Amino acid sequence: MRMVDLIAKKRDGAALSSGELGWIIEQYAAQAIPDYQMSAWAMAVFLRGMDAHETTALTLAMARSGAMLDLHDVAPLTVDKHSTGGIGDKTTLVLAPLVAAVGLPMAKMSGRGLGFSGGTVDKLESIPGLRTALSGAEFRRLLREVGLVIAAQSGDLAPADKQLYALRDVTATVASLPLIAASVMSKKLAAGADCIVLDVKYGSGAFMRTPEQARELAQMMVNIGQLAGRKVRAVLSSMQQPLGCAIGNALEVREAIGALRGGGPPDLIELCLILSGQLLLMAERADDEATAHAILREALASGAAWAKLRQMVAGQGGDLAYLDEPTRLPCAPVQIALPAPQAGYISAIEGASLGLAVNALGGGRVRKEDTIDPSVGLVMQARVGDQVYLGQPLLMIHAPSMAAVEAVVPQLLAAYQFSAAPVAPPLLVEAVIVL
Ligand code: URA
């Protein structure tokens, strides 16, 4: 087979066979296909799409590009969660310790920032010392000892996704339904969890813009999981405005710590309860949602979830002093308000523009090899539906310099729309997809 022929086949709109997709992934993981050809192929997939058969074959090939963990010798049942990406989405940082604290071992493989959206691994790495590059053996040990582990795609777990994910980030090929489905599900299948909850996001701060697209993606991923013998449910959640207030790596870690210590924005807590509740139901630890939520609320209120995060951070080498005193986490030298350009009700916030502004401040990558600045970001001071007066702070900009602030202000202002009439806040959750 020749990669150039397979690129042309997809460019011309034909479906690739399982054998062809298996070959592409095997060769790419072995570094035998260069990034420029893989980029051209990813763009062809982005533009032409894939049918359900191709998407499943791509997912399985990517999952099998490395080890497929079987964790049953460590824990009889493990759970996992994944989001398709959204602005300010720090759910994992709260949900993972929460479900582990109620006795569901969580073994999770996470990603870095992707396109305009942040990634859990980058967020966690703003805690000094914390390692996410874990070997399979460490992953198992931490799962056994702590009941919670969050790793980057290191070593031999879904290496093809690791490579392709970084390539998509810088080649404008992120928002493709089959590429997202294969990326998410390959990691989930390789990491070995029995019960998986997917947070499939839609809206201006997500890769899927409409609930219909999110539903299609969710259904595809739930089907793939079921074919592979896992229990999978998906929650369709809104990204019509950022989740919580903080956007940016260290800022989001701070917000998540707040949520585990009795504070935290209500939308973040609610989404964590809904997603975690689905895990408790799948794992048969609760008969209904109300019981699941009561168990989870107790673990938040008692401090058990917070204690579990501390245990996880310590297990992965992180310095607990930064967790206990989050003001010590990386802090940007310039912090300045973005004033409302007019009075009125906020009717829309374009999340992707805020995410791109955070990237421009240094919080994301332009090239694969870029390092990011964990301290930069935005903290929302007003939400969709809020009434603001002229000059009222819409958000705080955390930046490396005034020049960086000035460069992003026009983009930030363009992200807001105002209305003279009151506006209802958007719905947080559209639907739960259960097969
Ligand atoms: N999360 C992933 O792991 N992959 C994607 O493509 C999008 C979100």
Side-chain angles (χ1 to χ4, degrees):
M1 269 184 246
R2 293 191 326 150
M3 186 60 178
V4 66
D5 299 330
L6 300 181
I7 296 170
K9 186 170 175 184
K10 184 41 74 184
R11 179 202 62 200
D12 296 340
L16 297 173
S17 70
S18 306
E20 288 166 336
L21 288 162
W23 181 85
I24 292 175
I25 294 306
E26 190 190 300
Q27 296 294 306
Y28 184 53
Q31 327 269 336
I33 293 176
D35 274 353
Y36 57 82
Q37 283 191 312
M38 202 61 184
S39 306
W41 175 80
M43 186 57 82
V45 173
F46 184 95
L47 296 172
R48 289 298 198 162
M50 277 184 161
D51 63 27
H53 180 265
E54 286 177 288
T55 307
T56 305
L58 177 64
T59 308
L60 295 179
M62 291 197 342
R64 290 174 186 144
S65 65
M68 298 279 285
L69 292 185
D70 180 347
L71 301 168
H72 292 110
D73 58 326
V74 183
L77 179 139
T78 55
V79 301
D80 198 352
K81 169 263 172 189
H82 208 86
S83 152
T84 55
I87 303 300
D89 182 10
K90 69 283 293 172
T91 311
T92 294
L93 303 176
V94 180
L95 173 148
L98 178 57
V99 296
V102 301
L104 292 181
M106 173 165 281
K108 174 158 171 54
M109 209 193 306
S110 285
R112 296 190 179 277
L114 186 65
F116 56 72
S117 160
T120 302
V121 166
D122 289 332
K123 291 171 200 182
L124 279 173
E125 285 180 357
S126 57
I127 303 170
L130 190 139
R131 285 185 312 110
T132 57
L134 306 174
S135 67
E138 276 180 296
F139 193 77
R140 302 172 87 84
R141 179 179 61 76
L142 289 165
L143 180 64
R144 184 180 300 111
E145 291 175 2
V146 181
L148 171 60
V149 54
I150 303 181
Q153 285 157 284
S154 56
D156 54 358
L157 294 180
D161 177 58
K162 182 183 180 189
Q163 289 168 241
L164 185 55
Y165 189 95
L167 197 65
R168 286 168 57 220
D169 185 29
V170 292
T171 55
T173 51
V174 172
S176 150
L177 200 140
L179 292 180
I180 294 177
S183 167
V184 169
M185 291 310 291
S186 63
K187 281 192 280 284
K188 300 301 96 179
L189 300 184
D194 304 286
C195 304
I196 302 162
V197 68
L198 301 170
D199 182 8
V200 183
K201 297 194 169 294
Y202 65 88
S204 69
F207 300 122
M208 301 294 115
R209 291 300 162 117
T210 64
E212 292 72 34
Q213 288 175 320
R215 189 178 286 273
E216 193 183 339
L217 175 61
Q219 198 66 59
M220 191 179 276
M221 294 194 290
V222 170
N223 288 343
I224 293 171
Q226 223 200 14
L227 271 176
R230 313 294 170 89
K231 286 190 188 175
V232 186
R233 290 185 181 189
V235 171
L236 304 190
S237 74
S238 161
M239 262 289 139
Q240 283 149 304
Q241 64 181 335
L243 185 69
C245 301
I247 311 168
N249 294 299
L251 292 168
E252 292 190 41
V253 171
R254 267 191 219 139
E255 187 164 82
I257 292 172
L260 288 167
R261 295 178 89 174
D267 59 339
L268 172 62
I269 305 282
E270 189 187 337
L271 186 61
C272 288
L273 291 176
I274 291 170
L275 292 164
S276 314
Q278 292 302 321
L279 286 173
L280 262 70
L281 292 175
M282 276 187 278
E284 297 174 14
R285 296 295 175 89
D287 290 335
D288 54 56
E289 221 170 279
T291 312
H293 289 193
I295 296 171
L296 293 160
R297 279 190 196 283
E298 169 57 25
L300 272 178
S302 68
W306 164 238
K308 188 55 78 177
L309 180 73
R310 290 184 86 256
Q311 245 184 306
M312 183 204 102
V313 167
Q316 294 186 210
D319 186 338
L320 287 180
Y322 291 84
L323 218 58
D324 293 339
E325 231 181 292
T327 49
R328 292 180 60 181
L329 287 168
C331 209
V334 176
Q335 295 171 22
I336 195 160
L338 177 77
Q342 66 179 88
Y345 294 89
I346 299 178
S347 57
I349 303 176
E350 166 73 22
S353 302
L354 302 189
L356 289 171
V358 173
N359 284 358
L361 290 169
R365 296 175 183 80
V366 180
R367 288 169 306 171
K368 285 204 300 181
E369 53 283 3
D370 287 349
T371 50
I372 58 167
D373 179 348
S375 71
V376 301
L378 309 169
V379 180
M380 317 285 296
Q381 309 276 307
R383 324 254 312 150
V384 173
D386 286 354
Q387 187 177 20
V388 293
Y389 56 81
L390 174 68
Q392 181 174 331
L394 295 175
L395 51 76
M396 293 297 293
I397 307 170
H398 293 239
S401 64
M402 271 314 288
V405 170
E406 280 153 22
V408 297
V409 162
Q411 179 175 356
L412 291 175
L413 287 174
Y416 285 82
Q417 283 175 35
F418 299 88
S419 147
V423 174
L427 200 72
L428 182 61
V429 167
E430 164 88 13
V432 178
I433 311 267
V434 182
L435 262 192

